[in-house]
Amino acid sequence: MGDRYVLEVTCPKCGLRDDDVPYAPTCGFVDWKCDNCGHVVDLEKYTGISRKKASNAGVIQKLIAKIGHD
């Protein structure tokens, strides 16, 4: 589980703009395909937000460890 984003993406090939693109790298939503020309955009490269940055697994593990010590 991790952060989810709704992005505004402009196709670098044809210029089509989509303002409702889901990006949730920990859930497998990592690419966007342009409805106009079919070009596929890697959303990690487009945003600079990696799966690791979007993940909250570390926070969850710390909380579980803390609960286990109480």
Side-chain angles (χ1 to χ4, degrees):
M1 198 82 190
D3 293 333
R4 294 176 173 97
Y5 307 88
V6 177
L7 307 173
E8 185 175 292
V9 177
T10 301
C11 179
K13 294 285 185 184
C14 72
L16 177 80
R17 188 170 158 173
D18 187 343
D19 63 357
D20 192 27
V21 177
Y23 178 47
T26 60
C27 296
F29 293 94
V30 295
D31 294 317
W32 170 78
K33 184 176 179 180
C34 178
D35 288 337
N36 188 50
C37 72
H39 180 72
V40 176
V41 174
D42 177 326
L43 296 173
E44 180 178 344
K45 290 179 183 176
Y46 190 84
T47 64
I49 302 169
S50 68
R51 178 183 174 97
K52 185 176 179 179
K53 284 183 185 178
S55 176
N56 58 10
V59 173
I60 292 170
Q61 288 173 347
K62 286 179 185 177
L63 288 171
I64 291 170
K66 185 177 180 180
I67 292 169
H69 288 94
D70 289 345

